Amino acid sequence: MPTSAVPRSALRLARFTRRLLPALAAVATLVVVFLALIVLTDGAGSGFAAWWAALGFGTAAALWRGRRRARAARLRPFLPVVAAAALTASVCVPTAPTAPRHLPALPFVATQHWSLATGSRVAVYHYPPAKPGTRRATPLVYLNGGPVRGISLIDHRFLQLLARRGYDVYTYEQAGGGRSDLLPMDQYTISRSVRDLAAFVDRLDKGRVDVLGFSSGGVVLTRALSDPHVAARLHRAIIAEPGPMDGPTTRIAGHQGRPSAKGLAPAVTGPRSTHLPRYATAFGLMRLGLLTPDTGLIGQAEGDNAFTAADLGSDTASAYCARDAHRIPTEDTARNFSFSPAASLHIQQTVQDSPAIAPQLRHSRTPAMLMIAECSSQVRQWETAVLAADPAIQRTQYMPGVGHHMWNGLDDNNDRAAAVITAFLQGAAAPIPNYPTRDGIPAFLHDHK
């Protein structure tokens, strides 16, 4: 087509595009420089140290590019600098409260606050037996998952069920989670969590206790069993769906259980902090290991306040079987939900950095039970490593028809989990087969690929 036949509007658009592309490239370059500086400075000064440095870099580059231009054209190279400065400023300005948030009281149970000998101040909940005459002699302590997550309403309902079955149930939200007080970031360690458990039992002052540890709570319990000074406080231990117990275990290449609802369940609705530039940048770079959990970009309290249940995304669906994908229950409410992503990452890092505990765990004498879900989202070898190392595990209960969150309010799942737990605590026959056995671990792993 002759040039004269090309519409003038198309020619103007082509010229505009040719001029716009270099400007967009300049903006993208400055954004990349800003993000690199965020990493190099670890987000110092809420990100403003990186912002000012990137602005200075862009200004210097604009002055260099405009040095030989006509006076009227010298300002043009500054337009990408202004645009990039406006975009990146949104990463530096908090949109969530920066002071610690105080969750409202639960209407069905009193919240106590206990100061432990470790220095942690934790929120404590007590569910006494529904019928005092049925009280079991040994208190039951529940360690929830997370790590550093508040106890969900779905867990509270399960603890109420155990209390109705005669158990004197105590639970506490680990430091930094729920209604418990925050700690300095460097104090969030797996060893601190174990010491807090020992201090909690001492503060309870009711002798030895039974402990049910779920997910990361199961990791805390497993490590407690490997420490004879802490294990001396424990009567019986139930390790439910544990994560990796130490550094070597985190590096095991393995497979998960039967298909979960991850990728099948409807997308989680609700506000997400990761839709905002500041928190998407902070949480994303922390997960990649490019920012420390103690980053200067966002404070611990601000990160906790910003993070929502919807930010967990498919993690919730991965805790349920594929068959339950379209009926996943609401685990919590916005008023009760609490999760500290930075503190959680810091504790997980201390697990990854820890040496093997299997040599110590082999000396455990505390009667224990391991619970494994059919549709577990945990790596199977994380769970079987505990079974292989702990000679005091008396039974393993493979729970059919449930995912990682075994007590979830669906069908009779709560009753089945409670039946398994109560049978072990009472020394009664298990309601389901002891599977897998220690000798049967290789066959179990082969059959559940």
Side-chain angles (χ1 to χ4, degrees):
M1 180 182 293
T3 303
S4 58
V6 177
R8 290 183 179 180
S9 59
L11 291 173
R12 292 194 193 99
L13 179 61
R15 285 196 294 268
F16 176 76
T17 302
R18 284 197 300 271
R19 293 174 181 173
L20 183 62
L21 287 177
L24 292 175
V27 171
T29 299
L30 287 174
V31 170
V32 170
V33 168
F34 168 74
L35 292 176
L37 290 168
I38 284 283
V39 172
L40 289 173
T41 62
D42 198 27
S46 193
F48 278 109
W51 188 83
W52 282 110
L55 182 60
F57 172 81
T59 300
L63 288 170
W64 176 261
R65 291 181 59 198
R67 71 191 188 285
R68 295 181 180 177
R69 297 188 182 192
R71 180 173 297 178
R74 288 178 184 173
L75 294 178
R76 190 175 300 162
F78 286 92
L79 294 178
V81 179
V82 173
L87 286 172
T88 54
S90 62
V91 176
C92 304
V93 180
T95 56
T98 58
R101 177 171 58 119
H102 299 288
L103 296 176
L106 293 169
F108 50 81
V109 64
T111 304
Q112 305 174 53
H113 284 93
W114 290 7
S115 294
L116 305 181
T118 56
S120 299
R121 186 170 181 268
V122 297
V124 179
Y125 308 95
H126 179 208
Y127 291 104
K131 297 179 181 179
T134 64
R135 181 188 296 266
R136 308 290 176 184
T138 305
L140 174 61
V141 174
Y142 175 63
L143 296 175
N144 68 302
V148 200
R149 180 174 176 175
I151 299 173
S152 68
L153 296 183
I154 208 168
D155 278 0
H156 277 290
R157 286 192 284 271
F158 183 65
L159 299 181
Q160 291 170 333
L161 172 61
L162 294 176
R164 289 196 296 273
R165 298 197 173 195
Y167 289 92
D168 194 18
V169 182
Y170 290 85
T171 186
Y172 65 96
E173 289 171 316
Q174 296 169 46
R179 294 164 182 82
S180 295
D181 288 4
L182 306 183
L183 294 176
M185 189 59 66
D186 62 358
Q187 292 187 28
Y188 290 107
T189 65
I190 190 63
S191 59
R192 173 62 172 265
S193 298
V194 173
R195 293 196 304 273
D196 278 352
L197 171 60
F200 179 82
V201 177
D202 289 345
R203 176 69 171 74
L204 185 59
D205 196 25
K206 291 182 178 289
R208 292 194 302 162
V209 301
D210 296 326
V211 180
L212 166 61
F214 166 64
S215 193
S216 64
V219 176
V220 175
L221 179 54
T222 301
R223 295 180 70 96
L225 293 173
S226 72
D227 184 335
H229 299 291
V230 181
R233 298 167 169 84
L234 310 182
H235 177 250
R236 285 179 177 256
I238 301 171
I239 306 165
E241 281 288 287
M245 63 183 181
D246 53 25
T249 311
T250 64
R251 294 185 283 275
I252 292 177
H255 49 267
Q256 299 177 342
R258 304 296 186 195
S260 74
K262 185 175 182 178
L264 301 174
V268 180
T269 59
R272 298 191 181 197
S273 67
T274 48
H275 287 171
L276 302 174
R278 177 172 175 81
Y279 306 111
T281 300
F283 297 146
L285 293 178
M286 276 193 278
R287 286 187 66 87
L288 292 172
L290 298 175
L291 285 182
T292 66
D294 201 17
T295 176
L297 183 57
I298 60 170
Q300 180 186 168
E302 182 190 350
D304 296 0
N305 293 337
F307 202 89
T308 67
D311 285 318
L312 293 174
S314 60
D315 284 356
T316 299
S318 70
Y320 293 83
C321 289
R323 66 177 71 92
D324 296 325
H326 294 280
R327 59 169 193 157
I328 292 176
T330 301
E331 293 189 344
D332 218 342
T333 63
R335 288 171 59 84
N336 187 62
F337 177 80
S338 167
F339 181 69
S340 180
S344 181
L345 285 172
H346 199 278
I347 289 180
Q348 292 176 58
Q349 187 62 54
T350 65
V351 175
Q352 294 174 25
D353 294 340
S354 68
I357 65 168
Q360 292 77 32
L361 194 56
R362 291 191 184 101
H363 298 288
S364 174
R365 296 295 178 267
T366 304
M369 178 176 73
L370 177 66
M371 297 177 70
I372 301 177
E374 178 185 8
C375 310
S376 176
S377 56
Q378 306 290 70
V379 173
R380 289 298 193 197
Q381 285 84 345
W382 294 350
E383 301 163 326
T384 58
V386 180
L387 176 59
D390 186 351
I393 291 180
Q394 299 178 345
R395 64 179 73 167
T396 303
Q397 302 285 262
Y398 178 77
M399 304 292 293
V402 293
H404 179 59
H405 209 152
M406 292 182 284
W407 40 85
N408 50 41
L410 296 176
D411 303 328
D412 63 344
N413 293 341
N414 284 17
D415 288 327
R416 290 195 295 124
V420 163
I421 290 168
T422 56
F424 173 70
L425 294 180
Q426 296 173 30
I432 56 178
N434 179 29
Y435 172 78
T437 62
R438 191 170 289 103
D439 293 337
I441 290 174
F444 172 76
L445 294 176
H446 179 270
D447 294 343
H448 293 82
K449 291 183 179 178

